[in-house]
Amino acid sequence: QAETGQTAAVQAQSAAPAPSSEGKVLVVNKEYDFIVVDLGKKDNINPGDTLEILRKDKKIGMAKIEEVRDTMSVAMPDSQGMIKHIKEDDRVVRK
């Protein structure tokens, strides 16, 4: 039975999802002009990375990662006033 347990553990490890470079907007803070996305250290996101913001495959704009946590990151839209056009659940893709 020990062998079966080890096999299951190995399969579970190999079935772990690969780091994603696509996520979504969790929070839009219009007052301070930033967004929070569900990509973080677990997705190999780093400060300075660029994200493309999309809704239904239509590009809304770009944002730059400012702060990275394990499972989420803070990003700043790259143009003034763009925050008005971003909504929660918009897609983000690392470029």
Side-chain angles (χ1 to χ4, degrees):
Q1 280 190 335
E3 284 180 36
T4 309
Q6 286 174 334
T7 305
V10 168
Q11 286 173 340
Q13 284 174 343
S14 63
S20 175
S21 59
E22 186 173 316
K24 68 177 183 175
V25 176
L26 298 175
V27 175
V28 178
N29 186 314
K30 292 182 167 77
E31 187 179 354
Y32 293 104
D33 205 32
F34 71 85
I35 60 173
V36 177
V37 299
D38 67 348
L39 297 172
K41 287 180 187 164
K42 68 174 175 36
D43 306 296
N44 297 325
I45 296 290
N46 297 296
D49 285 355
T50 302
L51 299 175
E52 186 174 44
I53 304 163
L54 305 151
R55 185 175 312 131
K56 294 184 179 142
D57 296 325
K58 181 174 175 263
K59 181 176 172 181
I60 296 168
M62 306 293 281
K64 186 173 163 189
I65 298 289
E66 297 290 326
E67 190 179 323
V68 180
R69 300 282 167 86
D70 286 341
T71 59
M72 59 187 157
S73 299
V74 174
M76 306 290 280
D78 67 354
S79 60
Q80 202 83 41
M82 194 178 92
I83 195 86
K84 293 186 290 216
H85 304 288
I86 304 170
K87 293 191 170 123
E88 290 175 9
D89 288 329
D90 282 346
R91 259 186 340 128
V92 292
V93 180
R94 179 172 37 189
K95 288 292 155 195

